[in-house]
Amino acid sequence: MVRWAMAIDLEKCSGCQACVVACAAENNVPLGSPQEATMGRLIRWLQMLPRIEGEYPHVRAEVIPMMCFQCERPPCTYVCPVAATYKNPQGIVAQIYWRCIGCRYCVNACPFTLKWFNWFQPRWPATMAEATNPDVSLRDKGVTEKCTFCHHRLQQAKDRTRAEGRPLRPEDYRPACVEACPQGALVFGDLDDPESPVARLARSPRAFRFLEELGTQPKVYFLAATPEA
């Protein structure tokens, strides 16, 4: 069984945010308003975390792409009272919007704060409303949403390869953020294949995961940037 995972090389990431834009366009993430931003209610399935290290004049700054880490032991799924969020057999933490009752237990249980609650009815400018992705459902006010590794693309890949009469290969399925990265900083694939690029990067001496001590076993790995000489 394939177990999907991602590795992000911070040495290659330029912070261009092409992944952020691609994620929002692919998954019908609403733009939000300045008022919502002021209230801290903007929804961004993929966002950039700024990090600054060192002291002046030896300061290093970088931005880190952050999306749902698709934990192997996801605490968000343990607290959902209606099974609206769950981990599927391929290791992706999915979200069933119509089943969500808006209790926000999962939002509060995520130690990475990477699940998002719709405090307002999502809106798009009139010129963009007709350009939403028909393969991804629009979420209503009062439900939680999150990155799903563009799970709909996996379904499309399965349909395509079934029609072609061949098995699914890891290269048949890539999330929009991975596809959009001009630097090739985001690598996606099967973590259980020891020869896959993502598995090799996960074993790199530069690899780390956020809050690994919590034992949630995230399947998004980061490769630390090499300090400047």
Side-chain angles (χ1 to χ4, degrees):
M1 179 68 71
V2 173
R3 196 160 56 106
W4 301 107
M6 186 180 295
I8 302 174
D9 191 338
L10 299 179
E11 182 73 31
K12 293 182 178 179
C13 179
S14 64
C16 70
Q17 302 197 48
C19 56
V20 176
V21 175
C23 171
E26 178 76 16
N27 294 292
N28 299 328
V29 177
L31 300 178
S33 66
Q35 291 76 22
E36 291 171 22
T38 302
M39 299 169 66
R41 304 302 195 201
L42 281 184
I43 293 175
R44 294 291 180 265
W45 289 15
L46 199 168
Q47 62 179 345
M48 290 291 184
L49 174 69
R51 184 166 71 173
I52 300 176
E53 296 179 332
E55 295 183 3
Y56 179 83
H58 306 291
V59 176
R60 176 186 178 86
E62 63 182 355
V63 289
I64 303 174
M66 301 282 284
M67 72 289 285
C68 173
F69 291 162
Q70 314 293 341
C71 299
E72 193 62 24
R73 299 178 62 228
C76 59
T77 65
Y78 301 150
V79 299
C80 181
V82 294
T85 184
Y86 66 99
K87 188 182 72 172
N88 73 14
Q90 293 83 38
I92 297 175
V93 179
Q95 194 81 24
I96 304 175
Y97 304 119
W98 60 264
R99 188 179 288 174
C100 178
I101 59 174
C103 67
R104 289 180 285 132
Y105 286 177
C106 62
V107 176
N108 293 315
C110 175
F112 310 105
T113 64
L114 292 171
K115 300 194 78 163
W116 307 93
F117 183 71
N118 277 281
W119 292 93
F120 307 98
Q121 187 64 34
R123 300 181 304 274
W124 286 268
T127 52
M128 295 181 61
E130 299 297 324
T132 54
N133 185 351
D135 295 325
V136 179
S137 59
L138 303 178
R139 287 75 63 187
D140 290 321
K141 175 183 177 181
V143 302
T144 296
E145 57 184 76
K146 60 178 282 298
C147 161
T148 61
F149 274 172
C150 291
H151 183 259
H152 58 285
R153 288 192 170 203
L154 175 59
Q155 298 299 327
Q156 293 168 345
K158 287 180 176 178
D159 291 343
R160 186 169 59 253
T161 56
R162 188 180 300 114
E164 296 172 356
R166 62 176 178 85
L168 179 76
R169 296 189 291 261
E171 57 268 28
D172 291 319
Y173 164 44
R174 291 202 305 169
C177 57
V178 176
E179 198 170 72
C181 180
Q183 305 290 339
L186 280 63
V187 177
F188 186 74
D190 180 9
L191 191 62
D192 283 347
D193 177 0
E195 299 305 318
S196 70
V198 70
R200 289 200 299 270
L201 290 173
R203 298 194 299 270
S204 166
R206 291 196 292 130
F208 71 93
R209 294 183 289 186
F210 280 95
L211 298 179
E212 195 159 9
E213 66 275 16
L214 297 181
T216 64
Q217 302 175 23
K219 290 195 291 295
V220 174
Y221 292 78
F222 294 88
L223 277 75
T226 305
E228 296 179 3

